[in-house]
Amino acid sequence: MRISGWIGLIAAAACLLGAAAPAAAYDDLAVEEKALRVMDEVVPRQAETREKGMEEASVPGWVKVSFEAKSRRGWIPIEVYVHEDAEYALVGRLIGVSGDQSLREKADQAAAKRLPERLDYQLIRQRSAEMEGLQEFLYEVQVPKRGAQPMAVYVGERLAVVGQLFGPANQNLTEVAQQRWRASKVEWSKLIEGLEPVYGSADADVKFAMFTDPDCPACQQAKGRIDELMKGNKGELAGYMLWLPLDMHEHAEPKAKVLACANPDRQSALFDALKGTKPGSVADVYTILEGKDVSVRGGTKECVASGKAGERLQRYREFADRLGVNSVPSVYFNDRLFKGFPEGDVREQLGG
């Protein structure tokens, strides 16, 4: 379930600066295919889109493919910049820079052009990007009411890219960088300290922790996929549940308190039993479960009554704030923070 919309990302997309480049040969069909695949990642599937045209960008080696996407505000322009070899593409700003500047100067110039003057930001990491000839600069931007947010700038000899960079397999390379940055805010050992896995054993080689809301439909779908995944990987995979009831779900808080105090081996069954119910209090949760012949152990009730449930939920909220979690389910896995359950990545680490 997304809490923030996609229009802000789209509205920030694309302006070009710099001298016009000489004509370059490129495969129209390959470039268009790459642009369309990127659009599939950037724009919600239900959104209506239309292509507006293709032209060489003013920075050498790049082709601009223009689209529009329909939203409540009308048609929003989107410009996808595809490298002429059709291996890499970006959505954001492609900025021409002077060749006599240092890489850091180019990155700082691009960041300054992208951000309003009122926002504070600082460079937190520099490394070689996956695209040959580019350096990745990751900035931490202080955004009012949202806290620290990551922003990536990719710098080459004659350009600086601010936005999202997609690789040969259409992987969002910027998203990966941001996921790693967010996960670095909290050590894995601190995140699961004092917890036992709801799925599998703590001795498993592959582990994940999922921020989840009892009334979130996407979380319930993710649980179904985890249940299926566990059938053939019980000894190899461990999953921890971090209950994060959202304000928009008025019945989620009492459920989350009971779930946070329940024994790990009972949480999955209780989660299923409470699906679609509307308790107004913890007492209502117990009544609902009793009506479904689902037992609640005495230790769970004592834990909730003592206030420990509230303490645990507050701890999960603090971790969510530090990690920048703004949607559920969000999953901490393999030193990255994912929006949604990363089933493909988990299966890959399990060996297929």
Side-chain angles (χ1 to χ4, degrees):
M1 175 180 297
R2 293 180 63 86
I3 298 175
S4 58
W6 57 274
I7 294 176
L9 169 65
I10 301 305
C15 73
L16 243 66
L17 303 175
Y26 59 88
D27 185 329
D28 290 20
L29 291 178
V31 167
E32 182 178 34
E33 180 183 358
K34 179 68 174 182
L36 289 171
R37 286 193 285 121
V38 169
M39 285 286 289
D40 286 341
E41 297 295 324
V42 172
V43 179
R45 292 183 180 180
Q46 67 271 21
E48 183 181 351
T49 61
R50 59 192 183 193
E51 186 173 341
K52 301 295 290 183
M54 180 190 306
E55 62 182 333
E56 293 178 14
S58 57
V59 175
W62 292 86
V63 182
K64 179 175 73 173
V65 187
S66 300
F67 296 88
E68 287 183 334
K70 194 172 185 178
S71 74
R72 294 177 181 177
R73 302 180 186 180
W75 289 95
I76 304 296
I78 309 172
E79 292 175 348
V80 179
Y81 296 93
V82 181
H83 193 258
E84 60 187 12
D85 64 7
E87 290 291 304
Y88 291 87
L90 66 104
V91 179
R93 288 189 178 181
L94 178 63
I95 301 174
V97 291
S98 172
D100 58 4
Q101 293 177 301
S102 69
L103 294 176
R104 173 64 186 276
E105 288 172 336
K106 294 176 183 178
D108 287 344
Q109 176 187 339
K113 288 182 178 292
R114 170 66 180 85
L115 296 170
E117 292 184 3
R118 68 180 185 276
L119 297 184
D120 294 326
Y121 59 94
Q122 63 176 341
L123 179 67
I124 55 176
R125 189 182 70 191
Q126 175 185 351
R127 71 181 184 94
S128 295
E130 287 80 356
M131 182 176 179
E132 185 177 356
L134 287 186
Q135 286 283 307
E136 179 187 85
F137 293 81
L138 193 64
Y139 291 84
E140 183 177 274
V141 184
Q142 298 298 327
V143 181
K145 298 182 180 180
R146 295 184 62 196
Q149 300 293 320
M151 183 184 74
V153 179
Y154 298 91
V155 176
E157 182 180 354
R158 297 187 61 183
L159 63 83
V161 173
V162 183
Q164 300 194 59
L165 182 65
F166 291 81
N170 216 38
Q171 183 182 29
N172 188 330
L173 302 174
T174 305
E175 184 177 64
V176 172
Q178 292 173 345
Q179 288 170 339
R180 294 196 183 283
W181 171 79
R182 290 192 185 282
S184 70
K185 295 288 186 176
V186 175
E187 294 181 14
W188 169 260
S189 60
K190 295 294 184 182
L191 186 66
I192 64 168
E193 187 175 15
L195 298 178
E196 292 295 328
V198 173
Y199 294 95
S201 166
D203 297 329
D205 292 332
V206 182
K207 303 179 177 70
F208 69 87
M210 186 168 79
F211 290 94
T212 186
D213 177 313
D215 285 344
C216 157
C219 299
Q220 292 163 353
Q221 292 172 7
K223 180 187 179 301
R225 292 158 60 194
I226 295 169
D227 289 340
E228 287 298 316
L229 193 59
M230 288 301 302
K231 290 180 180 179
N233 298 282
K234 288 185 178 180
E236 304 172 55
L237 179 63
Y240 298 79
M241 297 292 106
L242 309 177
W243 299 101
L244 190 68
L246 304 180
D247 292 340
M248 67 175 67
H249 295 147
E250 60 178 310
H251 305 291
E253 182 89 10
K255 296 181 187 180
K257 286 183 176 180
V258 174
L259 288 163
C261 274
N263 286 351
D265 63 352
R266 293 288 298 150
Q267 290 184 26
S268 178
L270 293 177
F271 188 10
D272 287 338
L274 291 170
K275 181 178 179 180
T277 62
K278 298 180 179 181
S281 65
V282 168
D284 288 346
V285 174
Y286 298 147
T287 300
I288 289 169
L289 292 174
E290 288 171 5
K292 294 187 174 187
D293 292 327
V294 178
S295 63
V296 179
R297 296 172 184 172
T300 299
K301 294 183 178 181
E302 292 175 3
C303 170
V304 174
S306 71
K308 290 182 180 179
E311 293 173 2
R312 292 177 184 180
L313 295 188
Q314 181 58 32
R315 178 171 177 264
Y316 301 154
R317 289 190 183 101
E318 290 173 357
F319 279 130
D321 289 342
R322 288 169 61 185
L323 289 166
V325 171
N326 59 12
S327 65
V328 289
S330 286
V331 179
Y332 191 118
F333 172 69
N334 197 24
D335 296 327
R336 293 165 63 183
L337 185 73
F338 293 82
K339 291 185 177 182
F341 181 67
E343 183 176 356
D345 293 81
V346 174
R347 287 188 181 279
E348 181 178 352
Q349 192 159 333
L350 287 169

